[in-house]
């Protein structure tokens, strides 16, 4: 069977950390080229991954006859690349968030539909095993009826580079920067995957770092249509110590009989149900899906990226609907934009 | 604080099962169960040998126990009879061989569960003696009341196999002999996790000699009921004219839990009057076997040390040496390495 020909637009962190290595791991996909404005990044990719065809003009990449592209560029360019790819009959895996505005999102949806191409959002946290388990446990009623959720995401994000460069598109709100766009969209998508659409929200946020023009800490209160109340808190931190800050990223769901706390990066979740004998003996317990080692913190995250790529490739080769669609992308974007409105920004 | 209780009830044959169970539970103060419980019964089905040999649970006794529970709760509970695959026999084969399928037909609220097929999660044990993670079957995770139903038997390596050893069958792995060099610790861990609410040791027909599967039937005409697994085994040891401290897994548990005869009371029949000599394999074969296990234990320590060295190398390889030096603190690496202790991750 012929491999799916893949192009990558954007040679930055997420392309190098996730898309490129995982396409290389997939026997049904073949990377035939990569495009980026930055020649240094292109050289880096050439040396690191052996990708020979590198371009500063993405149109040349399209002319190579790619079947699908991964869009790994700043948010402000997602719309442009998606529309052009779709008009060329090229399937799209788009990094989050989907776009800067709802108008852009609607246009992307319309063009993809018109050209009958597959569009998948890069919300890979849905593929983290403990999040999958959390969803199943909620649906099975393992904590009774859920009534509250709290999602928190604290990472150094672009602040890990701030001492080196002081620059990143993340720091510019006009280019889709800001922690709510960046991390918030992941969390919002995850919680909507668990509980459905958001009915109403209110948000607060600020920039604590000097010289940055985008939010770096934000908190959103939500009410879902099924009456579940929740909060989302996201932040970029200057503390770059996983062992000290790793437990600041999690999703906590509280139900009538107990709770689940799902580790954001790792493979484990903490579980308590007052009726379970084990929990009555041991209190809150830590559970890990069978195939993961609870002592390897990034194993589940890396595998979620692999699964995202594998699912995208499978959808194209088997002509199936992607598991995370453009509608999911738009729904998450809608909530992010409403949150910014509530914050009085953007 | 209320002391644990162990009751000894005389029982001449299995026709008296119903009366014996009623008396035993009454002596313990009654079964503390309520409607809606998820009750797990762990019988002893580790071998294909018939219950007439004393190796496995008697069906009549098991049926009487289920009837007793259903009468008490008017059937308003869910009962699970659980067993895992063993080297000697798979659980599903055992259920069929010992006609436990007839119980599923007789009782609509009863289900047979093969624990080896029921686990997709592992639980982290912070206080494990043998395990740092252990597969936890869904049925046991959500169990609200646990009954251990074992036999009064000798054991070639442990001198006896009664209440505590019965829970070894809650380990989902089929080939459990790899844990034999650490059997005392493994038995301790599973009992510490599942902590049976009620332990029943059936000595109407038990086993002596080359137990727990290849010995000869031994009629003791009694059944032991206990609210604590260590207390139950201490009494069982005395019945078998054994010093409890000569039983390795019992000695380990008593020491670890600081548990002694002063922590429980014995009611019902006098254990001194009910005790009888059990034939064992002999001290020389026993100590030869124990020496062999000790050698295996040290071989396992060396294997783990080698694997530990590999894991340290892999941990660095997974995140990349550049990431280690620039993004991950050395405290992270230390914490991960320290967590890779010499214990099973099963």
């Amino acid at each position: 069977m012929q491999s799916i020909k893949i192009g990558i637009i954007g040679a930055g962190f997420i392309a190098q950390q996730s898309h490129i290595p995982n396409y290389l791991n997939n026997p049904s996909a073949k990377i035939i080229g990569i495009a980026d404005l930055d020649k240094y990044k292109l050289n880096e990719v050439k040396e690191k991954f052996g990708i020979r065809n590198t371009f500063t003009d993405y149109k040349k990449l399209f002319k190579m006859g790619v079947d699908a592209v991964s869009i790994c560029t700043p948010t402000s360019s997602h719309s442009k690349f998606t529309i052009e790819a779709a008009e060329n009959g090229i399937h799209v895996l788009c990094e989050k968030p989907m776009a800067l505005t709802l108008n852009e999102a609607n246009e992307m949806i319309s063009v993809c539909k018109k050209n009958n191409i597959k569009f998948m959002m890069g919300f890979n946290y849905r593929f983290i095993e403990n999040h999958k388990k959390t969803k199943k446990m909620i649906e099975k009623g393992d904590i009774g009826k859920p009534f509250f959720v709290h999602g928190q995401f604290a990472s150094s994000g672009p602040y890990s580079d701030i001492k080196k460069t002081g620059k990143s598109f993340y720091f510019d709100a006009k280019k889709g920067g800001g922690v709510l766009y960046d991390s918030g969209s992941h969390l919002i998508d995850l919680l909507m995957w668990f509980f459905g659409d958001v009915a109403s929200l209110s948000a607060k946020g600020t920039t604590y770092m000097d010289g940055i023009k985008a939010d770096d800490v934000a908190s959103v209160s939500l009410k879902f249509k099924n009456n579940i109340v929740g909060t989302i808190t996201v932040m970029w931190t200057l503390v770059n110590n996983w062992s000290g800050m790793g437990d600041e990223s999690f999703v906590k769901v509280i139900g009538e009989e107990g709770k689940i706390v799902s580790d954001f990066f790792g493979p484990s979740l903490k579980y308590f149900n007052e009726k379970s004998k084990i929990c009555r003996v041991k209190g809150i317990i830590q559970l890990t899906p069978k195939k993961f080692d609870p002592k390897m913190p990034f194993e589940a995250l890396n595998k979620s990226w692999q699964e995202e790529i594998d699912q995208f490739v499978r959808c194209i080769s088997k002509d199936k609907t992607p598991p995370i669609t453009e509608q999911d992308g738009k729904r998450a974007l809608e909530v992010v934009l409403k949150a910014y409105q509530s914050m009085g920004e953007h | 604080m209320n002391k644990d209780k162990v009751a000894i009830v005389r029982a001449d044959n299995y026709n008296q099962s119903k009366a014996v169970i009623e008396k035993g539970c009454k002596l313990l103060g009654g079964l503390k169960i309520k409607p809606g419980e998820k009750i797990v019964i762990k019988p002893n089905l580790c071998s294909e040998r018939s219950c007439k040999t004393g190796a496995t649970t008697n069906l009549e006794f098991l049926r009487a126990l289920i009837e007793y529970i259903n009468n008490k709760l008017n059937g308003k509970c869910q009962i699970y009879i659980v067993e895992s695959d063993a080297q000697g026999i798979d659980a599903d084969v055992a259920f069929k061989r010992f006609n436990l399928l007839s119980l599923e037909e007789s009782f609509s609220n009863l289900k047979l569960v093969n624990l080896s097929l029921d686990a997709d999660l592992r639980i982290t044990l912070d206080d494990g003696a043998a395990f740092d993670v252990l597969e936890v079957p869904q049925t046991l995770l959500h169990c609200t009341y646990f009954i251990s139903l074992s036999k009064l038997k000798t054991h070639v390596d442990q001198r006896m196999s009664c209440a505590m050893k019965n829970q070894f069958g809650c380990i989902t792995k089929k080939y459990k002999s790899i844990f034999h060099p650490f059997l005392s610790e493994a038995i301790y861990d599973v009992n510490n996790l599942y902590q049976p609410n009620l332990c029943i040791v059936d000595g109407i027909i038990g086993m002596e000699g080359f137990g727990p599967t290849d010995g000869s039937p031994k009629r003791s005409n009694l059944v032991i009921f206990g609210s604590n697994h260590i207390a139950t085994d201490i009494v069982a040891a005395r019945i078998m004219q054994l010093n409890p401290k000569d039983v390795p897994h019992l000695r380990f548990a008593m020491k670890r839990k600081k548990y002694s005869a002063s922590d429980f009371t014995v009611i019902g029949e006098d254990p001194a009057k009910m005790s009888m000599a059990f034939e064992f394999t002999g001290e020389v074969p026993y100590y030869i076997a124990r020496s062999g296990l000790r050698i295996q234990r040290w071989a396992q320590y060396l294997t783990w040390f080698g694997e530990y060295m590999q894991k340290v190398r892999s941990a660095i390889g997974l995140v990349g040496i550049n990431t280690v030096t620039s993004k991950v603190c050395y405290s992270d690496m230390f914490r991960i390495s320290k967590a890779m202790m010499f214990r099973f991750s099963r």
Side-chain angles (χ1 to χ4, degrees):
Chain A
M1 199 183 91
Q2 259 193 330
S3 299
I4 309 289
K5 287 177 279 192
I6 304 289
I8 315 261
I9 305 178
F13 171 79
I14 198 64
Q16 295 193 38
Q17 187 73 24
S18 165
H19 293 250
I20 298 172
N22 292 316
Y23 279 123
L24 291 173
N25 278 340
N26 187 311
S28 303
K30 187 178 176 186
I31 300 176
I32 60 167
I34 184 163
D36 195 294
L37 292 172
D38 188 330
K39 283 182 188 169
Y40 294 108
K41 281 192 187 149
L42 289 176
N43 282 334
E44 200 177 22
V45 160
K46 210 180 238 183
E47 275 175 32
K48 212 165 150 186
F49 299 105
I51 299 173
R52 284 183 299 173
N53 299 320
T54 60
F55 310 98
T56 51
D57 181 355
Y58 69 95
K59 290 184 200 278
K60 289 182 181 170
L61 180 62
F62 286 179
K63 281 183 183 154
M64 287 200 73
V66 293
D67 298 315
V69 285
S70 272
I71 297 174
C72 305
T73 56
T75 311
S76 53
S77 57
H78 286 181
S79 168
K80 168 185 156 181
F81 291 129
T82 298
I83 289 167
E84 279 220 40
E87 283 170 348
N88 282 278
I90 299 170
H91 305 292
V92 172
L93 171 59
C94 180
E95 270 298 327
K96 50 80 204 169
M98 187 175 180
L100 276 184
T101 65
L102 279 179
N103 284 341
E104 283 182 3
N106 285 329
E107 210 184 332
M108 287 159 79
I109 292 170
S110 165
V111 174
C112 289
K113 191 175 176 187
K114 186 177 160 192
N115 291 279
N116 198 29
I117 65 115
K118 299 201 190 300
F119 179 97
M120 181 166 155
M121 279 302 304
F123 285 132
N124 66 293
Y125 288 134
R126 289 197 193 187
F127 302 121
I128 290 185
E129 282 299 323
N130 50 304
H131 293 333
K132 286 201 252 181
K133 202 75 214 164
T134 299
K135 184 171 157 68
K136 261 193 199 150
M137 289 172 87
I138 294 167
E139 286 168 356
K140 265 174 62 199
D142 286 349
I143 52 169
K145 187 179 161 190
F147 60 85
F148 177 75
V149 58
H150 175 57
Q152 185 165 300
F153 197 107
S155 75
S156 53
Y159 281 179
S160 58
D161 290 329
I162 198 165
K163 286 170 188 166
K164 284 185 207 165
T165 65
K167 292 180 194 176
S168 170
F169 83 89
Y170 288 107
F171 302 151
D172 188 344
K174 291 189 180 127
K175 288 186 180 174
V179 70
L180 199 49
Y181 259 125
D182 174 38
S183 311
S185 54
H186 261 311
L187 257 182
I188 286 164
D189 171 73
L190 195 66
L191 296 200
M192 289 206 293
W193 183 52
F194 286 166
F195 299 120
D197 286 334
V198 171
S200 61
L201 62 86
S202 80
K204 292 280 181 202
T206 192
T207 312
Y208 72 84
M209 178 71 102
D210 292 333
I212 303 299
K213 292 176 188 171
D215 51 296
D216 56 14
V217 58
S219 190
V220 186
S221 295
L222 307 159
K223 189 170 180 186
F224 293 85
K225 283 184 178 167
N226 59 8
N227 228 26
I228 292 172
V229 166
T231 52
I232 285 173
T233 305
V234 287
M235 66 195 85
W236 289 329
T237 67
L238 286 167
V239 180
N240 196 11
N241 180 324
W242 178 81
S243 66
M245 299 294 282
D247 60 350
E248 292 299 337
S249 296
F250 58 86
V251 174
K252 185 184 289 186
V253 184
I254 300 181
E256 288 172 345
E257 291 175 12
K259 71 178 183 183
I260 301 168
V261 185
S262 185
D263 184 4
F264 223 93
F265 291 117
S268 299
L269 58 94
K270 293 195 170 70
Y271 172 67
F272 180 80
N273 182 315
E274 58 156 12
K275 289 183 180 172
S276 156
K277 190 170 177 350
I278 293 178
C279 292
R280 288 205 307 270
V281 165
K282 294 206 138 322
I284 191 162
I285 57 177
Q286 181 177 330
L287 299 171
T288 310
K290 235 160 83 163
K291 48 184 163 173
F292 289 100
D293 182 346
K295 296 185 289 241
M296 295 299 284
F298 297 110
E299 187 182 31
L301 177 63
N302 289 335
K303 289 203 171 151
S304 76
W305 277 321
Q306 182 70 65
E307 191 173 337
E308 176 188 275
I309 298 298
D310 291 349
Q311 293 258 14
F312 179 58
V313 171
R314 199 176 302 126
C315 291
I316 297 169
S317 61
K318 294 197 187 300
D319 193 23
K320 290 199 182 301
T321 307
I324 314 172
T325 65
E326 59 272 28
Q327 296 297 343
D328 294 317
K330 182 186 165 182
R331 282 165 66 221
L333 179 65
E334 211 164 3
V335 174
V336 168
L337 291 173
K338 278 185 183 159
Y340 273 122
Q341 226 174 11
S342 175
M343 271 161 59
E345 291 182 26
H346 291 244
Chain B
M1 197 173 100
N2 285 335
K3 278 190 180 184
D4 294 320
K5 286 184 192 165
V6 180
I8 303 172
V9 179
R10 187 182 291 278
D12 294 328
N13 56 58
Y14 287 104
N15 294 338
Q16 299 171 340
S17 296
K18 185 182 169 194
V20 165
I21 290 167
E22 278 175 10
K23 187 174 180 184
C25 292
K26 193 177 172 186
L27 283 170
L28 289 185
L31 264 195
K32 291 173 181 52
I33 50 177
K34 49 192 186 306
E37 295 269 16
K38 291 178 184 165
I39 300 173
V40 161
I41 301 175
K42 166 68 182 68
N44 197 182
L45 304 174
C46 59
S47 152
E48 59 184 11
R49 298 191 78 193
S50 147
C51 61
K52 288 178 186 167
T53 65
T56 50
T57 299
N58 180 281
L59 181 64
E60 205 175 330
F61 193 93
L62 179 54
R63 184 180 282 271
L65 177 61
I66 296 164
E67 282 169 355
Y68 175 77
I69 293 168
N70 272 333
N71 285 341
K72 197 164 164 49
L73 295 178
N74 287 327
K76 288 178 185 162
C77 61
Q78 185 64 41
I79 300 173
Y80 302 92
I81 295 178
V82 305
E83 186 55 274
S84 66
D85 292 340
Q87 265 164 260
I89 189 168
D90 282 354
D92 292 319
V93 173
F95 291 149
K96 208 171 168 181
R97 159 117 178 78
F98 298 112
N99 201 19
L100 264 66
L101 297 177
S102 65
L103 294 175
E104 262 189 337
E105 286 162 19
S106 304
F107 302 100
S108 59
N109 63 335
L110 185 141
K111 208 172 162 221
L112 303 173
V113 178
N114 181 344
L115 298 177
S116 298
L117 304 178
D118 191 40
D120 58 354
L121 285 169
R122 297 188 297 175
I123 183 171
T124 298
L125 302 181
D126 294 324
D127 54 353
F131 302 103
D132 50 4
V133 282
L134 192 61
E135 276 184 24
V136 58
Q138 287 287 331
T139 305
L140 297 184
L141 180 61
H142 299 294
C143 151
T144 61
Y145 195 91
F146 190 112
I147 300 175
S148 168
L149 176 58
S150 58
K151 302 288 289 185
L152 189 68
K153 301 189 289 187
T154 56
H155 192 289
V156 290
D157 298 332
Q158 293 282 320
R159 298 201 191 274
M160 78 175 210
S161 169
C162 296
M164 290 179 66
K165 175 67 171 56
N166 190 33
Q167 274 65 262
F168 192 58
C170 294
I171 295 173
T172 55
K173 197 172 173 63
K174 179 178 164 79
Y175 297 102
K176 299 182 194 21
S177 57
I178 59 158
F179 304 126
H180 281 179
F182 299 88
L183 193 52
S184 297
E185 291 91 339
I187 291 171
Y188 172 83
D189 279 351
V190 285
N191 279 283
N192 200 30
L193 179 63
Y194 297 120
Q195 290 195 22
N197 297 86
L198 173 65
C199 296
I200 305 175
V201 181
D202 167 17
I204 298 174
I205 299 176
M207 179 172 271
E208 64 179 346
F210 219 81
T213 55
D214 297 328
S216 313
K218 173 74 173 181
R219 187 173 270 282
S220 306
N221 290 343
L222 58 84
V223 179
I224 306 169
F225 295 79
S227 62
N228 176 282
H229 48 283
I230 302 176
T232 307
D233 269 7
I234 290 174
V235 171
R238 290 198 187 134
I239 298 275
M240 296 165 89
Q241 294 184 358
L242 277 174
N243 181 346
K245 291 191 177 171
D246 287 342
V247 179
H249 64 266
L250 188 49
R251 180 176 66 243
F252 184 89
M254 286 169 69
K255 189 177 174 189
R256 192 85 170 210
K257 287 283 193 189
K258 296 185 173 61
Y259 198 91
S260 69
S262 60
D263 292 308
F264 64 92
T265 51
V266 182
I267 42 185
E269 303 291 336
D270 183 350
K273 287 183 183 161
M274 299 298 290
S275 74
M276 56 182 68
F278 271 62
E279 196 181 292
F280 291 93
T281 54
E283 290 301 289
V284 172
Y286 172 76
Y287 281 110
I288 289 173
R290 295 294 304 171
S291 301
L293 287 170
R294 196 162 283 277
I295 292 168
Q296 280 182 280
R297 196 174 168 106
W298 281 101
Q300 184 63 67
Y301 284 144
L302 285 171
T303 304
W304 276 332
F305 184 74
E307 284 174 3
Y308 166 71
M309 302 297 286
Q310 294 290 324
K311 278 185 182 177
V312 168
R313 196 255 320 148
S314 296
I316 296 172
L318 190 75
V319 297
I321 192 67
N322 289 335
T323 305
V324 169
T325 52
S326 68
K327 288 193 188 300
V328 175
C329 283
Y330 285 112
S331 61
D332 292 346
M333 293 303 304
F334 176 73
R335 198 184 68 79
I336 293 166
S337 302
K338 193 178 158 195
M340 294 174 188
M341 292 168 63
F342 297 127
R343 286 199 294 197
F344 287 105
S345 297
R346 298 285 165 191

